[in-house]
Amino acid sequence: MIRSLRARLTVWYVAFLSLLLLLFSMLLHHLVAQALERRLDESLSVEANTGAALLADEFQEMKGNASVAASEVLADLRLSGSTVAFTDGARVLGSSAPAAMDELTDIARRAQASGPGHNVVFEPGGGPNGAHAAVVRERLGGQEYVTIAMQPLDEIAADLALLRRVMLLALPLAIGLAAIGGYWLTRRNLLPLASMAQQARQITHSNLETRLDAGAAAEELATLSASFNELLSRLDQSFENMRRFVADASHELRTPIAIIRGEADVALANERSTAEYKEALTLVLDESRRLSRLVDDLLNLARADAGRVKLRVEEFYLNDLLAECCRAAHTLAGARGVTLECTPHDDLAFHGDEELVHRMVLNLVDNAIRYTPQGGHVTVSLDGRAGDVEIHVADTGTGIAADVAPHVFERFYRGDKARARQDGGFGLGLAIVKWIAELHCGSVDVASAPGAGSTFTVKLPRESV
């Protein structure tokens, strides 16, 4: 099997061109043969009609002597390779060249059998290539006479043989030149592809910002180059996100690990009281819990990126789920002096993954409580009047600046990093909220202003999955 694209295109091009040339040659041979035979038939018809007219004139002058009249006509005719003969059906009255009586009689008989008319064309079987004959019948002095103009097809056969020899010589030459030209044209048009391949081989993870330059390539190759550059852009963005994700994750993991290690070193350095050991173990336990939450979040996001999370779809009531989330968050809200209100709603059935939706709502409520100062208010409401289901979580907290709002759903992004670390956050909660909403074919957005609080809205289609 041919692996080279240049060779494959050239072979197909040459094969197609060869077929076209062969068909053209066959058609040309057929048309030339028909044209030569038609010209011969016209010439024979003219000679037969001329001979018949002259025979009638000489027959009158010779007082009905057909043999003498035929001889006189043959003496006056100027022929070009054809044979003219006159017969009365029983004998040959005269012939411009020796001709077999049987053949002439057969031609005359076939002419009589064809009925009245002139210019009857036959193809006798005599000769290696056959012959054509034109026959004219006329009645003179009560007797029917036949004028025959006949010529073998040897000259036409020779001309066609010459044409075939020319074709046999010209076709291989034309196909060979076409193969050379086709290969050259294919190679020239595929040069930009070779250049793009060379450029692609030089692109590694360290220079993904490089883009292919197709130059003045054809439209198809330019489209291929543009598509490959778009792929490189996506890969570059993915690698950048991965590098940032790893760096942020390493940074977040380092703090609790350092605290755990430091507390353990201090606790083991000297003999301490039971209360001091208990205090150190409590701190280690708190940091271990934070570390466990972070690892769980990272694992869930990694599974989401890998497409390994499968929804466990079931029917449940969103109003009950929101009430349960509010009950779970009341303790945190009370500890921070924040009022948490869950607006009641009629039963609203929904198909989705109840565990993931529960986590999404709880993350939103937890985020709102953490960023609402003491004495503030957090409201959780549900709107199912429209085609989509909307979950609203509003707070009277510090709000989000306009330049920060587009980034709050990014992983490890925190507008106030110092406060977030103090509150135990990692910057993954809202990223998980966005992932769960999109997993249910929904979306999440935020409306906020500094000092005016924030409202997070999750839109979910009722039949999302």
Side-chain angles (χ1 to χ4, degrees), residues 232-252:
L232 287 176
S233 298
R234 293 193 295 270
L235 287 176
D236 188 20
Q237 183 63 37
S238 298
F239 270 79
E240 179 61 29
N241 291 340
M242 184 175 64
R243 284 192 290 263
R244 187 177 63 184
F245 184 83
V246 171
D248 291 341
S250 301
H251 177 75
E252 294 295 339

Side-chain angles (χ1 to χ4, degrees), residues 141-419:
Q143 174 70 33
E144 185 177 74
Y145 296 94
V146 179
T147 303
I148 302 172
M150 181 176 61
Q151 182 172 338
L153 298 178
D154 296 343
E155 292 186 4
I156 293 180
D159 292 340
L160 293 177
L162 177 61
L163 178 61
R164 287 192 296 270
R165 286 195 298 271
V166 171
M167 289 180 177
L168 288 176
L169 292 175
L171 281 179
L173 179 61
I175 293 173
L177 292 176
I180 296 174
Y183 186 82
W184 179 78
L185 288 174
T186 303
R187 183 175 181 274
R188 180 179 180 183
N189 283 279
L190 291 180
L191 280 178
L193 189 60
S195 175
M196 291 165 54
Q198 180 63 27
Q199 296 177 53
R201 281 192 290 268
Q202 297 175 356
I203 298 176
T204 64
H205 68 280
S206 61
N207 61 339
L208 283 174
E209 72 282 355
T210 306
R211 297 294 178 264
L212 297 184
D213 182 13
E219 180 181 355
E220 291 79 4
L221 294 182
T223 302
L224 175 62
S225 175
S227 301
F228 193 82
N229 285 336
E230 292 176 3
L231 173 62
L232 287 176
S233 298
R234 293 193 295 270
L235 287 176
D236 188 20
Q237 183 63 37
S238 298
F239 270 79
E240 179 61 29
N241 291 340
M242 184 175 64
R243 284 192 290 263
R244 187 177 63 184
F245 184 83
V246 171
D248 291 341
S250 301
H251 177 75
E252 294 295 339
L253 289 169
R254 183 178 60 183
T255 301
I257 291 176
I259 294 174
I260 292 173
R261 182 177 178 179
E263 286 296 322
D265 288 341
V266 171
L268 295 174
N270 298 299
E271 289 291 334
R272 299 184 180 277
S273 65
T274 303
E276 291 175 331
Y277 279 124
K278 185 176 181 180
E279 181 181 357
L281 289 175
T282 300
L283 182 58
V284 169
L285 179 61
D286 291 340
E287 292 299 323
S288 297
R289 288 171 177 170
R290 291 186 69 248
L291 187 60
S292 179
R293 290 200 309 272
L294 175 59
V295 172
D296 288 341
D297 290 341
L298 291 176
L299 181 60
N300 286 324
L301 290 175
R303 288 175 176 174
D305 292 339
R308 296 181 180 177
V309 177
K310 294 184 179 180
L311 294 179
R312 291 180 293 181
V313 180
E314 56 185 332
E315 185 179 24
F316 59 92
Y317 290 94
L318 273 177
N319 54 303
D320 292 341
L321 184 143
L322 261 65
E324 182 181 345
C325 291
C326 291
R327 284 195 299 270
H330 264 297
T331 301
L332 177 63
R336 292 177 173 269
V338 175
T339 302
L340 176 59
E341 178 183 356
C342 187
T343 304
H345 192 280
D346 295 335
D347 289 346
L348 182 58
F350 181 77
H351 286 83
D353 191 313
E354 184 175 5
E355 182 180 347
L356 290 179
V357 175
H358 183 278
R359 184 173 186 179
M360 176 184 69
V361 175
L362 199 58
N363 279 1
L364 286 174
V365 175
D366 179 78
N367 183 78
I369 294 173
R370 291 179 184 277
Y371 284 90
T372 300
Q374 186 174 4
H377 191 81
V378 174
T379 304
V380 182
S381 60
L382 178 64
D383 185 0
R385 292 171 297 176
D388 294 337
V389 175
E390 294 186 359
I391 301 173
H392 303 279
V393 178
D395 62 65
T396 59
T398 56
I400 304 173
D403 58 332
V404 174
H407 304 285
V408 294
F409 297 104
E410 296 178 4
R411 300 174 186 180
F412 295 108
Y413 185 86
R414 292 171 300 199
D416 187 351
K417 296 185 179 181
R419 180 183 173 185

